[in-house]
């Protein structure tokens, strides 16, 4: 297997490509990163070929992280009409091998390559990357267009990403106000998942529910409108951000309990860097730790905001490194 991989992080709007050198200490070649609008290409293979031609690069293997469910040799992008066939993509690119993984498998694998400066603690518990060979279990959540959820199990020097659809777990309200928000959202959506609150559109859902409670018509807003008005001192927008952060903390703590991620939870996705100050000065950590008899245990678990600008590509590079190591040890 070649040391040089073509890697990609494919979302519903943009496709990011780069090269990874699996023999290098830092495998993601950051100067090779390029981003394209997926709407400009009829298929992943054609977008990948365009990248290789533009970068004047070649590769024989690819790891493509996609924002959608991977079912055997096929993947469907959740918010875009691409249907990706692994055998057809490999044939069109002339590659020896192509691997399709879920985008949160990549987000989880990125943990294995993070340096201390790639994350910022939310709360007072610091994080130090684990020494090689030590067992670890991590959780990862990422609010963006939706809510991605996954985990990483590290055993005997091997990384095992956990691909989940945890964003679609039912929302558990923790206060009377949140119960009322649930009632309002239930009237609109029926079943209410965590993703209905903890993502960009979810912030708007929270704000609209709070406005209904207050008897106020907010009009049509986007997530950026809510955060901008909160920064300008709008009381209902400020409250929406507070509720968002508190619920985010509660479900992050629930995920730690669910998969035993005592070594830390990583907060990624497009909203986290934009809301970093709000997360730090909110009820996020209080609700994260507030788990009854397990509160003392939760107080020792790090919660970490990811600042790395290309976490998905970094995770795809980590996945490629793991593939090469597995082949070498086989």
């Amino acid at each position: 297997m070649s040391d040089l991989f073509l890697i990609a992080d494919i979302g519903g709007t943009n496709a990011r490509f780069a090269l990874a050198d699996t023999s290098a200490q830092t495998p993601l070649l950051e100067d090779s990163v390029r981003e394209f609008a997926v709407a400009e290409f009829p298929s992943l293979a054609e977008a990948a070929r365009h990248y290789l031609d533009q970068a004047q690069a070649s590769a024989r293997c690819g790891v493509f992280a996609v924002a959608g469910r991977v079912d055997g040799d096929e993947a469907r992008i959740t918010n875009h009409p691409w249907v990706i066939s692994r055998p057809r993509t490999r044939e069109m690119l002339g590659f020896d091998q192509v691997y399709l993984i879920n985008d949160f498998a990549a987000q989880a694998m990125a943990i294995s390559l993070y340096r201390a400066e790639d994350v910022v603690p939310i709360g007072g518990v610091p994080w130090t990357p684990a020494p090689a060979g030590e067992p670890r279990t991590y959780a990862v959540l990422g609010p963006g267009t939706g809510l991605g959820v996954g985990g990483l199990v590290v055993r005997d020097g091997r990384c095992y990403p956990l691909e989940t659809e945890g964003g679609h777990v039912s929302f558990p309200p923790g206060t009377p106000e949140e119960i009322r928000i649930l009632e309002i959202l239930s009237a609109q959506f029926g079943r209410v998942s965590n993703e209905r609150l903890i993502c960009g559109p979810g912030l708007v859902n929270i704000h609209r529910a709070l406005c209904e409670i207050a008897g106020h018509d907010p009009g049509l807003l986007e997530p950026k409108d809510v955060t901008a008005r909160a920064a300008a001192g709008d009381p209902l927008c400020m409250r929406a951000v507070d509720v968002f952060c508190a619920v985010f903390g509660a479900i992050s703590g629930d995920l730690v309990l669910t998969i035993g991620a005592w070594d830390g939870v990583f907060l990624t996705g497009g909203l986290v860097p934009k809301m970093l100050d709000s997360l730090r000065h909110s009820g996020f950590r209080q609700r994260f730790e507030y788990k009854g008899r397990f509160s003392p245990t939760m107080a020792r678990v790090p919660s970490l905001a990811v600042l790395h600008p290309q976490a998905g590509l970094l995770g795809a590079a980590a996945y490629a490194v793991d593939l090469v190591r597995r082949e070498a040890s086989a």
Side-chain angles (χ1 to χ4, degrees):
M1 188 177 290
S2 170
D3 288 338
L4 195 65
F5 275 67
L6 173 64
I7 57 174
D9 181 17
I10 312 295
T13 303
N14 296 309
R16 297 175 181 87
F17 291 92
L19 298 172
D21 183 352
T22 60
S23 65
Q25 186 173 2
T26 306
L28 173 61
L29 304 181
E30 295 188 8
D31 61 353
S32 72
V33 175
R34 304 284 189 279
E35 181 176 308
F36 308 106
V38 294
E40 294 179 2
F41 302 93
S43 70
L44 168 60
E46 289 175 81
R49 175 52 58 195
H50 176 78
Y51 167 82
L52 290 170
D53 291 344
Q54 188 184 76
Q56 298 183 321
S58 62
R60 301 297 303 173
C61 296
V63 173
F64 303 139
V66 299
R69 185 170 181 267
V70 178
D71 187 3
D73 281 343
E74 187 174 279
R76 294 175 181 267
I77 305 299
T78 302
N79 294 305
H80 187 75
W82 277 2
V83 178
I84 302 167
S85 163
R86 188 177 70 86
R88 179 159 175 73
T89 301
R90 183 183 64 210
E91 179 184 352
M92 291 178 68
L93 291 173
F95 278 14
D96 296 331
Q97 193 56 269
V98 162
Y99 301 88
L100 297 178
I101 62 174
N102 176 264
D103 60 335
F104 264 74
Q107 293 286 349
M109 287 295 293
I111 297 169
S112 66
L113 293 180
Y114 285 147
R115 300 160 297 180
E117 58 266 31
D118 291 326
V119 300
V120 171
I122 304 298
V125 184
W127 176 71
T128 303
E134 287 198 14
R136 290 288 189 269
T137 304
Y138 301 109
V140 57
L141 294 91
T145 305
L147 176 62
V149 175
L152 185 71
V153 177
V154 183
R155 298 292 185 273
D156 300 320
R158 283 286 313 280
C159 294
Y160 302 91
L162 305 177
E163 299 184 28
T164 85
E165 290 297 339
H168 298 282
V169 170
S170 296
F171 164 57
T175 67
E177 181 182 50
E178 290 170 14
I179 292 171
R180 182 67 187 119
I181 291 171
L182 174 60
E183 290 172 345
I184 292 169
L185 297 185
S186 293
Q188 179 180 357
F189 298 112
R191 179 179 180 272
V192 178
S193 67
N194 285 330
E195 187 175 77
R196 291 294 188 189
L197 288 85
I198 307 304
C199 65
L203 178 61
V204 175
N205 289 338
I206 293 171
H207 178 254
R208 189 170 57 247
L210 291 172
C211 288
E212 182 172 329
I213 293 169
H216 170 66
D217 181 4
L220 295 176
L221 298 180
E222 296 183 12
K224 63 182 180 181
D225 300 323
V226 178
T227 53
R229 293 185 186 188
D234 181 286
L236 284 173
C237 289
M238 292 173 67
R239 185 61 194 152
V241 170
D242 286 343
V243 170
F244 179 99
C245 293
V247 172
F248 190 19
I251 66 173
S252 297
D254 287 346
L255 181 60
V256 169
L257 293 174
T258 300
I259 66 173
W262 312 121
D263 299 302
V265 58
F266 290 78
L267 313 174
T268 185
L271 286 183
V272 169
K274 298 173 184 175
M275 300 184 70
L276 185 58
D277 192 59
S278 296
L279 287 166
R280 284 169 151 172
H281 298 96
S282 71
F284 177 95
R285 186 68 197 189
Q286 180 185 21
R287 291 286 292 277
F288 178 86
E289 295 182 13
Y290 185 58
K291 301 299 177 187
R293 289 168 289 178
F294 272 82
S295 294
T297 301
M298 295 298 296
R300 300 192 296 271
V301 177
S303 52
L304 305 149
V306 174
L307 301 183
H308 194 287
Q310 300 294 347
L313 288 174
L314 186 69
Y319 193 92
V321 170
D322 189 64
L323 287 170
V324 171
R325 286 176 179 168
R326 271 190 277 168
E327 184 176 82
S329 63

